[in-house]
Amino acid sequence: MGDATLTGYYYPQPASGLFLRAGVGFSTVSVSQGGGSVSNSGLGATAGLGYDVRIAANTSITPVFNYVWGHPDSGFNRSILQFAVGVTFH
């Protein structure tokens, strides 16, 4: 499974560090079984929210919660809930 999305970020109050993110793009799935494989692709989307926690003037620890949705042309939808923590350099 994989997704590639064009994502935008929105900071309702930039000084607070809270942000929302949303994007649309491409979703794909590939299944191998019994010597054969099937691949399908279609629409994908993502939405999430996060918070930049400043640890230095130009650096933040950034926890983020995402919902990723995909609809490859294989007759099913897939949904992923993701929690991640990153480092953001401003």
Side-chain angles (χ1 to χ4, degrees):
M1 291 187 286
D3 290 287
T5 59
L6 180 61
T7 304
Y9 289 76
Y10 173 66
Y11 286 79
Q13 295 179 342
S16 77
L18 177 70
F19 63 87
L20 306 172
R21 58 188 307 270
V24 296
F26 177 77
S27 177
T28 186
V29 64
S30 180
V31 178
S32 298
Q33 183 178 0
S37 67
V38 176
S39 295
N40 292 299
S41 59
L43 180 66
T46 186
L49 63 102
Y51 191 80
D52 291 327
V53 180
R54 294 276 181 163
I55 59 171
N58 295 325
T59 308
S60 295
I61 299 295
T62 306
V64 63
F65 179 76
N66 296 312
Y67 173 74
V68 182
W69 173 85
H71 184 69
D73 294 331
S74 55
F76 70 93
N77 294 327
R78 62 180 174 77
S79 298
I80 299 168
L81 294 176
Q82 175 191 47
F83 176 75
V85 177
V87 177
T88 303
F89 300 101
H90 306 274

